[in-house]
């Protein structure tokens, strides 16, 4: 019911456990530097100055070219320096598909796919779980992250693939120009691939900010008009002083801040914009930027043929009423 709420650890300080997280006064309007603390994998990818402008130019140049085979032609291709392992991997009786790449399509970047959960699959799909992608003419395996599809400059990460709303899937993958259809499959232990989501290619933007949110909760111990003594959110004085600038909110809509620490065992005095209720709960929202894992694998094992399992039960073994 509350997947973002986490327990404050007792065996280590909260300022160490959550040192990569920060508070935001407003998720919509607070600034976030897109070039801050980028991972090492960002040195291996390509970034467009304007992906849409480049896409329109490349597709227009490709449409204006008159060289090459026309639709419906039968052609013979002569390819040099083909390794023997490629021919050994080609199964007899199956066609060998060849495609020509547009400029930049051989480079890696952060691709964003807009998908919607397929109604035939109901099992939970966690973020960073390995899935099989069919994106345009490419097939590959990767571990993506999920986020909300909004028009803001920051997007909240989803821990699971939601069944009731479109979701943006971010993954390290070769650059592909849209329009391109997308199918997401999950490989089972028996080799069968289940369809989990369908959609289309959204964009190629390494600067898209995806934020993971955690929520620390506390309970009011004593209430005196607009101030309250809170416990169970933090457990030492140093942690309270570390998170003092972060704004607090409650489940009943109150907003406030930490005024001072009381004692050495995590009690703190907080001030709010209105009087609290004794059954209310205090919340502290913390955020950090997350990135996909570099798990791109172009090898996808062939899916086994699905078959209907029929079990014949002897009528003598059934209890008839």
């Amino acid at each position: 019911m509350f997947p973002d709420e986490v327990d404050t650890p007792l065996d280590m300080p909260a300022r160490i456990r959550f040192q990569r997280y920060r508070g935001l006064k407003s998720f919509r309007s607070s600034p976030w530097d897109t070039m801050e603390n980028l991972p090492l994998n960002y040195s291996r990818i390509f970034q467009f100055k304007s992906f849409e402008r480049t896409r329109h130019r490349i597709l227009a140049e490709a449409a204006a070219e008159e060289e090459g085979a026309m639709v419906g032609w039968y052609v013979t291709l002569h390819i040099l320096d083909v390794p023997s392992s490629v021919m050994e991997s080609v199964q007899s009786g199956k066609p060998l598909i060849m495609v020509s790449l547009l400029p930049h399509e051989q480079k890696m970047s952060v691709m964003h796919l807009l998908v919607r959960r397929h109604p035939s699959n109901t099992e939970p799909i966690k973020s960073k779980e390995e899935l099989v992608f069919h994106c345009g003419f490419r097939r590959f395996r990767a571990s993506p992250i999920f986020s909300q599809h909004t028009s803001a400059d920051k997007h909240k990460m989803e821990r699971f693939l939601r069944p009731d709303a479109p979701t943006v899937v971010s993954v390290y993958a070769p650059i592909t120009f849209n329009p391109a259809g997308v199918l997401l499959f999950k490989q089972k232990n028996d080799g069968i691939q289940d369809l989990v989501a369908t959609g289309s290619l959204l964009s190629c933007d390494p600067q898209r900010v995806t934020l993971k949110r955690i929520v620390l909760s506390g309970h009011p111990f004593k209430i005196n008009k607009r101030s309250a003594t809170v416990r169970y959110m933090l457990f030492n004085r140093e942690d309270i002083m570390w998170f003092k600038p972060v704004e607090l909110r409650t489940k009943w809509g109150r907003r406030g801040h930490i005024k001072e620490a009381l004692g050495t065992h995590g009690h703190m005095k907080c001030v709010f914009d209105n009087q609290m209720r004794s059954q209310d709960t205090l919340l502290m929202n913390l955020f950090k930027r997350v990135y996909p894992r570099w798990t791109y694998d172009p090898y996808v094992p062939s899916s086994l043929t699905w078959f209907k399992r029929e079990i014949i039960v002897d009528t003598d073994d059934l209890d008839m009423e």
Side-chain angles (χ1 to χ4, degrees):
M1 294 179 62
F2 309 102
D4 293 338
E5 289 195 20
V6 299
D7 294 329
T8 306
L10 299 175
D11 56 345
M12 65 183 303
R15 63 185 183 278
I16 302 299
R17 171 62 181 84
F18 305 122
Q19 61 184 344
R20 297 183 60 188
Y21 291 83
R22 69 183 70 175
L24 292 178
K25 185 175 182 59
S26 172
F27 187 84
R28 180 186 61 85
S29 59
S30 295
W32 193 289
D33 187 5
T34 59
M35 305 300 292
E36 177 185 5
N37 294 333
L38 296 179
L40 187 61
N41 289 329
Y42 265 52
S43 62
R44 307 166 59 184
I45 64 175
F46 184 82
Q47 178 180 348
F48 294 97
K49 189 174 182 179
S50 175
F51 177 73
E52 286 298 323
R53 186 181 305 171
T54 304
R55 184 182 72 87
H56 285 298
R57 177 179 58 82
I58 290 178
L59 294 182
E61 292 175 355
E65 289 183 356
E66 297 181 356
E67 299 180 356
M70 301 297 292
V71 178
W73 285 12
Y74 286 91
V75 298
T76 302
L77 300 179
H78 300 273
I79 305 176
L80 300 177
D81 301 329
V82 178
S84 59
S85 59
V86 175
M87 300 308 299
E88 293 174 357
S89 62
V90 176
Q91 300 181 7
S92 60
K94 291 188 176 181
L96 178 63
I97 301 175
M98 305 184 67
V99 295
S100 60
L101 298 180
L102 295 173
H104 304 295
E105 284 194 334
Q106 77 280 8
K107 303 173 183 177
M108 297 289 291
S109 187
V110 181
M111 305 300 298
H112 304 289
L113 320 172
L114 181 61
V115 301
R116 184 180 288 272
R117 189 70 181 268
H118 197 269
S120 64
N121 186 277
T122 57
E123 63 177 313
I125 306 296
K126 293 182 62 176
S127 182
K128 298 184 180 180
E129 184 175 352
E130 185 181 82
L131 298 175
V132 177
F133 290 78
H134 291 224
C135 181
F137 59 89
R138 285 188 167 104
R139 298 177 62 207
F140 57 90
R141 293 184 297 172
S143 300
I145 60 173
F146 308 137
S147 60
Q148 294 178 351
H149 179 49
T150 60
S151 59
D153 59 343
K154 295 180 289 296
H155 311 272
K156 180 180 174 296
M157 184 190 111
E158 295 286 357
R159 298 175 185 266
F160 295 89
L161 186 61
R162 296 183 56 181
D164 56 345
T167 305
V168 176
V169 179
S170 302
V171 64
Y172 289 114
I175 295 173
T176 304
F177 294 105
N178 50 342
V182 175
L183 299 176
L184 268 64
F185 294 86
K186 182 178 179 181
Q187 183 97 17
K188 288 190 172 184
N189 296 331
D190 55 3
I192 297 178
Q193 296 179 1
D194 279 350
L195 179 65
V196 298
T198 61
S200 60
L201 180 63
L202 181 62
S203 65
C204 171
D205 185 12
Q207 292 190 356
R208 187 178 190 271
V209 178
T210 302
L211 299 182
K212 178 181 180 181
R213 183 185 72 174
I214 64 170
V215 180
L216 303 182
S217 60
H219 300 277
F221 180 55
K222 294 180 181 179
I223 300 177
N224 184 13
K225 293 185 178 180
R226 291 176 53 192
S227 64
T229 302
V230 181
R231 60 180 178 177
Y232 300 146
M233 179 178 288
L234 302 169
F235 295 101
N236 59 73
R237 189 181 187 90
E238 291 76 14
D239 287 345
I240 295 175
M241 301 306 295
W242 178 270
F243 291 104
K244 188 176 180 179
V246 182
E247 186 182 26
L248 302 177
R249 66 179 182 89
T250 70
K251 292 189 176 181
W252 286 62
R254 303 278 74 84
R255 291 183 176 273
H257 61 276
I258 301 174
K259 186 175 182 180
E260 60 181 350
L262 303 177
T264 60
H265 292 78
H267 290 199
M268 56 187 180
K269 185 177 181 180
C270 303
V271 180
F272 298 91
D273 57 355
N274 205 338
Q275 185 171 0
M276 282 193 62
R277 298 173 181 264
S278 59
Q279 66 269 30
D280 208 346
T281 303
L282 278 82
L283 303 175
M284 178 188 293
N285 294 333
L286 301 175
F287 301 90
K288 77 169 182 178
R289 187 177 178 183
V290 292
Y291 304 89
R293 291 178 179 175
W294 192 285
T295 55
Y296 172 78
D297 187 2
Y299 171 72
V300 178
S302 300
S303 176
L304 298 180
T305 305
W306 183 86
F307 61 93
K308 184 178 181 181
R309 298 181 179 178
E310 295 183 352
I311 302 177
I312 301 177
V313 180
D314 192 355
T315 56
D316 296 336
D317 297 337
L318 298 177
D319 295 332
M320 307 294 293
E321 296 183 359

